[in-house]
Amino acid sequence: MAAEQDPEGRAAARPLLTDLYQATMALGYWRAGRAQDQAVFELFFRQCPFGGAFALAAGLRDCVRFLRAFRLRDADLQFLASALPPDTDPAFFEHLRALDCSGVTVRALPEGSLAFPGVPLLQVSGPLLVVQLLETPLLCLVSYASLIATNAARLRLIAGPDKRLLEMGLRRAQGPDGGLTASTYSYLGGFDASSNVLAGQLRGVPVAGTLAHSFVTSFSGSEVPPDPMLAPAAGQGSQVDLAASVETWLERVCGHLGLGVQEPHRGERAAFVAYALAFPRAFQGLLDTYSVRRSGLPNFLAVALALQELGYQAVGVRLDSGDLLQQAREIRGVFRTAAAQFGVPWLQSVPIAVSNNIDEEELARLAQKLVSVGGQPRMKLTEDPEKQTLPGSKAAFRLLGSDGSLLLDVLQLVEEPPPQAGQELRVWPRGARESRTVRPAHVEPLLRLWVQQGQLCEPLPSLAESRAFAQQSLHRLSPAHRRLEQPALYQVALSEKLQALVDRLSARGAL
């Protein structure tokens, strides 16, 4: 199967991104003559992350790309030979060399879908040996992506639809791959942009960023710009010495703020001027390198007002330390008085961005497993009920009320007829001791067919389209399920036939 020819292919996972025990089991299947047995495995989670009531499904695009590129090369086989027993039959490695995913079928939730415990995010079927080798990499690709997207979605719910959220975590990310994944799926989950340039190049994530403290501290104030002249924004009229104009404005700003003209840091001001000369239409001030009140704020205002005279408008300020909420309130107050004092109305609404380990609490303060082999259901039995798996290849449906509200998700065996709108259905909610009856007004199948016998069935949505779908999905949640603290748990139920199979296999395992 040919690898997908697109820039994102450079970010595709490699076939040995797996656990050694997957290769040892593959050898066991091959020796037992079971390599071509048909099998199904499903990827799911048992609890919603972050104490919430929902997750967002993500990582499907990475999974499809991995499957389409999957092929064990000479170097891969040589390493496996060194890791497996030295007396391993060479014919096994020749079998591996011929493997691809042409016999693999994938059903999955579309990226950006709401996902709930026990409902498969991904269902993979095909030859037993192949799907065993795929299990770990697909889990890796789906789990982290879904975790990041869910976290981003929770932060977006806190911030509301209108606040701009930027992801800037690359420097502290879990390595290059983790950084690229986090930037990609933060965007899918609801962030507006990322500072990660590679995510922009490979994944089409909008990129954004201005300046860091190191830029500001690199200036002492003694620097002379090689060309301090700036032309008006309209392109007509004489150029102005921006550095000189800033000094003139500084006196007026300091007078308004009750500061001495010597208090604002010269190096910081020189840095702001240098940045404004480079980006007059996108000037943003980083205010907290020194003192916000006595330096960052007056220096920003002086530069912003000098730019204003030339028809430019500063795009905002950023805070990166201290009590972000209190400082933002104080800065907003200064902007309002300065707007009135200097007759610049737009100044009162200059955006104030905050950064530095913004978690849910701070933002709120600011505004798996093998389930079927050879068609026979398999179920993991354990003394820990939470670690039991549900047997059989399953279909999943979302039941909705007449107003479009989400009632519950129901899991059933794939051979069962699907639920019908308007018809009464008896289901067994997971964790409950009794069944309940529900009559859905609408029924949505959840697992869509994306790959059949190795062939892509329909084009995958773009990252931006999946991002928009994620926001639509979140809007369908009730406030009780959307709540980030002590949310109401969304109900997932089993069909009568699936529940009966679970009971029968459980009783058999207990004998």
Side-chain angles (χ1 to χ4, degrees):
M1 183 183 305
E4 189 173 11
Q5 299 300 312
D6 70 345
E8 295 182 73
R10 293 167 55 187
R14 298 171 62 174
L16 290 193
L17 182 70
T18 191
D19 296 299
L20 181 61
Y21 61 75
Q22 306 288 18
T24 61
M25 288 190 287
L27 175 58
Y29 293 140
W30 182 80
R31 286 292 303 272
R34 301 185 59 206
Q36 297 301 322
D37 287 7
Q38 289 299 298
V40 180
F41 77 80
E42 297 171 345
L43 282 64
F44 64 93
F45 58 94
R46 294 184 175 89
Q47 291 183 331
C48 290
F50 313 112
F54 71 90
L56 281 187
L60 174 63
R61 189 176 185 86
D62 291 336
C63 290
V64 171
R65 185 179 303 108
F66 173 76
L67 296 175
R68 299 187 72 186
F70 183 86
R71 202 69 188 251
L72 289 161
R73 309 298 178 183
D74 288 345
D76 302 323
L77 296 170
Q78 290 169 9
F79 182 80
L80 282 177
S82 71
L84 292 173
D87 59 348
T88 300
D89 190 335
F92 172 64
F93 299 107
E94 290 307 310
H95 180 84
L96 294 182
R97 187 189 305 276
L99 288 181
D100 59 21
C101 291
S102 59
V104 172
T105 294
V106 176
R107 290 177 172 82
L109 297 178
E111 285 197 296
S113 296
L114 291 170
F116 301 101
V119 178
L121 283 77
L122 195 73
Q123 188 182 77
V124 183
S125 60
L128 176 57
L129 188 151
V130 174
V131 299
Q132 190 70 71
L133 291 175
L134 297 176
E135 181 187 41
T136 292
L138 295 183
L139 274 168
C140 177
L141 292 170
V142 167
S143 299
Y144 187 51
S146 298
L147 187 73
I148 293 295
T150 302
N151 185 51
R154 290 168 62 87
L155 293 168
R156 169 54 70 193
L157 288 174
I158 294 171
D162 300 324
K163 294 292 188 295
R164 185 167 167 81
L165 295 179
L166 306 180
E167 181 274 320
M168 299 186 292
L170 181 59
R171 291 183 294 173
R172 295 178 177 84
Q174 288 77 19
D177 292 338
L180 181 60
T181 300
S183 299
T184 301
Y185 291 104
S186 290
Y187 176 66
L188 185 148
F191 275 51
D192 295 287
S194 171
S195 65
N196 189 337
V197 178
L198 189 62
Q201 180 192 23
L202 298 184
R203 301 294 181 88
V205 177
V207 294
T210 51
L211 69 161
H213 293 292
S214 58
F215 181 85
V216 177
T217 58
S218 73
F219 287 81
S220 66
S222 61
E223 298 84 3
V224 178
D227 183 8
M229 307 303 289
L230 184 65
Q236 297 178 345
S238 301
Q239 293 186 331
V240 171
D241 186 327
L242 184 65
S245 178
V246 167
E247 294 301 321
T248 299
W249 273 107
L250 183 67
E251 292 187 20
R252 298 179 62 183
V253 168
C254 287
H256 171 65
L257 298 178
L259 297 172
V261 75
Q262 299 301 319
E263 292 188 64
H265 196 284
R266 294 176 58 212
E268 180 181 61
R269 188 161 63 256
F272 286 2
V273 169
Y275 196 83
L277 286 168
F279 301 96
R281 301 181 188 277
F283 172 63
Q284 183 184 57
L286 179 56
L287 302 187
D288 61 340
T289 303
Y290 302 107
S291 166
V292 173
R293 175 77 184 185
R294 298 193 309 274
S295 184
L297 195 49
N299 279 332
F300 167 79
L301 285 170
V303 176
L305 290 166
L307 288 171
Q308 155 72 20
E309 284 192 317
L310 293 170
Y312 301 98
Q313 185 171 317
V315 299
V317 297
R318 180 162 70 93
L319 295 168
D320 193 51
S321 61
D323 188 329
L324 302 175
L325 177 60
Q326 182 61 32
Q327 291 183 102
R329 286 171 173 166
E330 294 175 357
I331 291 168
R332 180 61 68 204
V334 171
F335 284 166
R336 286 172 178 149
T337 62
Q341 174 71 23
F342 302 116
V344 184
W346 60 263
L347 194 56
Q348 63 182 333
S349 58
V350 167
I352 302 173
V354 296
S355 54
N356 188 27
N357 298 322
I358 306 298
D359 57 14
E360 290 185 5
E361 183 178 353
E362 181 65 14
L363 185 59
R365 184 170 171 261
L366 295 166
Q368 187 119 213
K369 312 253 186 210
L370 194 60
V371 295
S372 173
V373 178
Q376 296 301 309
R378 295 293 190 265
M379 177 179 179
K380 178 180 178 181
L381 294 173
T382 171
E383 293 181 0
D384 183 352
E386 290 190 354
K387 291 190 176 182
Q388 290 183 352
T389 61
L390 294 173
S393 179
K394 292 175 284 298
F397 299 90
R398 184 156 292 156
L399 309 186
L400 296 84
S402 57
D403 59 353
S405 60
L406 308 187
L407 300 179
L408 55 82
D409 286 6
V410 61
L411 298 173
Q412 62 179 53
L413 296 172
V414 71
E415 63 266 23
E416 295 185 67
Q420 298 296 313
Q423 293 186 8
E424 196 170 84
L425 182 69
R426 188 180 181 210
V427 298
W428 291 80
R430 301 201 67 185
R433 295 184 178 182
E434 297 182 356
S435 63
R436 62 169 289 193
T437 300
V438 62
R439 189 190 298 272
H442 307 281
V443 177
E444 294 180 355
L446 294 179
L447 299 175
R448 289 172 59 177
L449 180 63
W450 297 98
V451 176
Q452 187 169 34
Q453 297 296 302
Q455 298 299 312
L456 191 63
C457 297
E458 61 176 295
L460 292 167
S462 68
L463 184 61
E465 290 170 336
S466 295
R467 178 180 183 272
F469 180 64
Q471 295 307 303
Q472 295 171 11
S473 299
L474 291 170
H475 285 310
R476 301 176 70 188
L477 277 174
S478 70
H481 294 125
R482 196 184 304 159
R483 193 166 57 229
L484 301 183
E485 293 185 4
Q486 300 181 327
L489 297 181
Y490 183 82
Q491 201 163 76
V492 176
L494 309 184
S495 68
E496 283 196 279
K497 188 172 183 178
L498 179 54
Q499 182 64 51
L501 178 60
V502 170
D503 292 341
R504 185 170 73 251
L505 292 177
S506 297
R508 186 183 303 168
L511 295 176

